[in-house]
């Protein structure tokens, strides 16, 4: 499980990335195998994002998510 201070920003980065790709959140949830209700709670920040869920989302080819960019965006900028 990611700590609560980084969790919200990771969830927000994922949500923003999915929207920028033009992929409906429902489709992203289905393709990742995360239950829809759980997915929406994670995306709105009301539930804690687990590391295994980040992994599932990064495996969805259409999303083109990079776990390093999600978890350590400041390190990659330098």
């Amino acid at each position: 499980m990611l700590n609560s201070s980084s969790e919200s920003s990771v969830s927000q980065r994922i949500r923003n990335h999915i929207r920028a790709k033009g992929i409906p959140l429902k489709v992203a949830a289905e393709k990742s195998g995360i239950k829809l209700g759980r997915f929406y709670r994670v995306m709105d920040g009301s539930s804690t994002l687990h590391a295994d869920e980040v992994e599932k989302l990064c495996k969805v080819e259409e999303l083109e998510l990079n776990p390093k960019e999600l978890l350590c965006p400041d390190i990659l900028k330098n």
Side-chain angles (χ1 to χ4, degrees), residues 32-67:
S32 70
I34 300 171
K35 291 183 180 181
L36 189 58
R38 165 96 182 118
F39 187 80
Y40 283 130
R41 287 190 302 277
V42 168
M43 290 298 105
D44 73 11
S46 65
S47 241
T48 304
L49 180 67
H50 296 127
D52 66 316
E53 293 167 330
V54 172
E55 182 179 6
K56 287 178 181 181
L57 287 164
C58 288
K59 288 182 178 180
V60 176
E61 191 173 319
E62 296 89 344
L63 295 180
E64 298 175 346
L65 285 167
N66 179 333

Side-chain angles (χ1 to χ4, degrees), residues 2-41:
L2 300 172
N3 72 45
S4 60
S5 62
S6 66
E7 177 271 324
S8 130
S9 59
V10 171
S11 295
Q12 186 176 27
R13 283 195 291 275
I14 291 171
R15 183 181 66 240
N16 291 342
H17 182 82
I18 291 170
R19 288 185 175 156
K21 287 284 193 185
I23 298 170
L25 291 177
K26 180 179 180 180
V27 171
E30 291 169 351
K31 289 187 178 250
S32 70
I34 300 171
K35 291 183 180 181
L36 189 58
R38 165 96 182 118
F39 187 80
Y40 283 130
R41 287 190 302 277

Side-chain angles (χ1 to χ4, degrees), residues 13 17 64-74 76:
R13 283 195 291 275
H17 182 82
E64 298 175 346
L65 285 167
N66 179 333
K68 289 180 184 177
E69 291 174 2
L70 293 173
L71 301 173
C72 308
D74 295 332
L76 295 175

